[in-house]
Amino acid sequence: MEAVLSTQFTNPHLSLSSSSSSSLKPTLVSFTTRFPETSCRRTGGWRRKTQPRFPLPFLRISANSQSAPSSAATAISSSIPSAMKGWVYGDYGSVEVLKLEENVSVPEVKEDQVLVKVAAAALNPVDFKRRQGKFKATDSPLPTVPGYDVAGVVVKVGSQVKSLKEGDEVYGDINEKALEGPKQYGSLAEYTAVEEKLLALKPKNLDFIQAAGLPLAIETAYEGLERAGLSPGKSVLVLGGAGGVGSLVVQLAKQVFGASRVAATASTGKLELLKSLGVDLAIDYTKENFEELAEKFDVVYDAVGQCDKAVKAVKEGGSVVVLTGAVTPPGFRFVVTSNGAVLEKLNTYLESGKVKPVVDPKGPFPFSQLVQAFSYLEAGHATGKVVIHPIP
């Protein structure tokens, strides 16, 4: 069963010369989103048709302090606008608080950051939990452009950036700490500013859609298995093996950590997907209670919030990784720290095809249908990652 969606696209807003190190390929799938022309007045950080409710200091792009840019880099930098389209919410709440704004200020680039022209972005549970106000005590100020995962092209670099250059195709999770002051300007807009250390070059064999669905999920999968002490010869049970994180836990456990046996739970229709990802024991949670199995595991990775049951399936002295819900000892919860070096390390496995991104077959959702995409994700039935593409 092939669960990976391969799609290439042409970005009409970014023109790279033939000397650029990256080029965008002809479209295989395309969507068209039209926005009405309006006359807007600028007040605060947003330009709107009426007086904005959420004032912010207007952000301007500072001049590139790097010396002697190439002609291609100059062309890219000169094409950067001062305002962009982006999804915004000014109050916490349900999907109805999301509004498509046509004149959001393009974020400034700090000296350790690059500006990325967003090609695709993915949705994560942390996105809607943040929007619902569950982390408001440590959140950045409202209004917010949501979005953690990004894949796109570098169009501007800060003065202290060393490894990336304009024209590079990159991907990453733009927030180093998911819950501690995440960026006010996220990836669900035309541009986003990201620290160089959080990004990696996009795997050569993946398109932007596939790459966008990886960063937060694959880093969470990797760090959780690492903290659990999974090592060659050990066994692991993954709860929610067909989900965004779970599908990558399954693959990393076997391909990167050398697990001798991988079991995972999913609904009836997703068992074949589990097997295609390398699962040795696919458990239909609609028909079996995994906690009642005679077999116990060295590591249980709970991606769905069933720690009370997960602890019954772990061997004595084993580890239970918990991403959501209440924690029952010996389970432990962790929140991933984004790190581009992890992506660089895993690029080898992605480019060899040993680890594959799983993109939900209902997607990608066009930029104009972000509300529908969030509603779908929040219903809890997504397979792999929900990706937004194309982005204007």
Side-chain angles (χ1 to χ4, degrees), residues 230-289:
L230 186 65
S231 57
K234 291 187 176 181
S235 60
V236 59
L237 168 63
V238 184
L239 305 186
V245 173
S247 61
L248 290 164
V249 173
V250 164
Q251 296 179 78
L252 296 187
K254 180 152 287 192
Q255 300 296 338
V256 179
F257 289 86
S260 60
R261 185 163 169 80
V262 177
T265 65
S267 58
T268 308
K270 299 177 181 179
L271 297 182
E272 290 303 313
L273 170 63
L274 294 185
K275 295 173 183 177
S276 74
L277 297 176
V279 166
D280 301 297
L281 175 62
I283 303 168
D284 185 342
Y285 68 76
T286 69
K287 300 177 181 178
E288 297 181 80
N289 296 318

Side-chain angles (χ1 to χ4, degrees), residues 15 26 53 60 67 110-111 127 154 174 189 192 216-217 229 255 317-318 326 328 347 376:
S15 176
R53 293 173 294 157
R60 297 185 183 277
S67 60
K110 298 177 182 177
E111 60 183 14
D127 285 299
V154 174
I174 71 169
T192 191
L216 181 56
Q255 300 296 338
T328 304
N347 272 359
Y376 176 63

Side-chain angles (χ1 to χ4, degrees), residues 186-391:
S187 60
L188 290 165
E190 291 184 83
Y191 296 89
T192 191
V194 195
E195 288 78 9
E196 177 185 27
K197 67 180 180 180
L198 304 183
L199 296 172
L201 292 176
K202 180 179 70 67
K204 298 179 180 65
N205 61 319
L206 302 184
D207 60 29
F208 286 113
I209 296 170
Q210 295 167 318
L214 285 168
L216 181 56
I218 203 168
E219 289 177 338
T220 300
Y222 180 86
E223 188 174 336
L225 290 173
E226 189 174 53
R227 291 196 183 190
L230 186 65
S231 57
K234 291 187 176 181
S235 60
V236 59
L237 168 63
V238 184
L239 305 186
V245 173
S247 61
L248 290 164
V249 173
V250 164
Q251 296 179 78
L252 296 187
K254 180 152 287 192
Q255 300 296 338
V256 179
F257 289 86
S260 60
R261 185 163 169 80
V262 177
T265 65
S267 58
T268 308
K270 299 177 181 179
L271 297 182
E272 290 303 313
L273 170 63
L274 294 185
K275 295 173 183 177
S276 74
L277 297 176
V279 166
D280 301 297
L281 175 62
I283 303 168
D284 185 342
Y285 68 76
T286 69
K287 300 177 181 178
E288 297 181 80
N289 296 318
F290 66 85
E291 71 275 18
E292 296 176 359
L293 293 175
E295 181 179 4
K296 305 302 176 185
F297 302 86
D298 295 298
V299 173
V300 179
Y301 199 118
D302 176 18
V304 296
Q306 294 184 329
C307 186
D308 56 335
K309 296 180 179 179
V311 296
K312 298 177 182 179
V314 70
K315 292 180 180 178
E316 185 174 352
S319 299
V320 178
V321 184
V322 182
L323 296 186
T324 186
V327 178
T328 304
F332 70 90
R333 186 197 308 281
F334 86 98
V335 178
V336 68
T337 298
S338 179
N339 187 348
V342 172
L343 297 178
E344 291 174 1
K345 175 179 180 178
L346 296 175
N347 272 359
T348 299
Y349 297 92
L350 291 163
E351 291 181 341
S352 69
K354 291 181 178 179
V355 176
K356 300 177 181 180
V358 180
V359 176
D360 189 275
K362 290 186 181 297
F365 288 80
F367 192 61
S368 61
Q369 293 182 11
L370 182 70
V371 171
Q372 293 93 320
F374 263 120
S375 296
Y376 176 63
L377 176 65
E378 293 173 42
H381 302 302
T383 299
K385 294 306 299 288
V386 175
V387 178
I388 306 301
H389 166 81
I391 290 178

Side-chain angles (χ1 to χ4, degrees), residues 36-52:
E37 294 183 359
T38 59
S39 59
C40 302
R41 54 185 288 191
R42 185 200 311 268
T43 309
W46 314 97
R47 293 197 307 176
R48 300 164 57 93
K49 290 183 288 186
T50 57
Q51 181 73 15

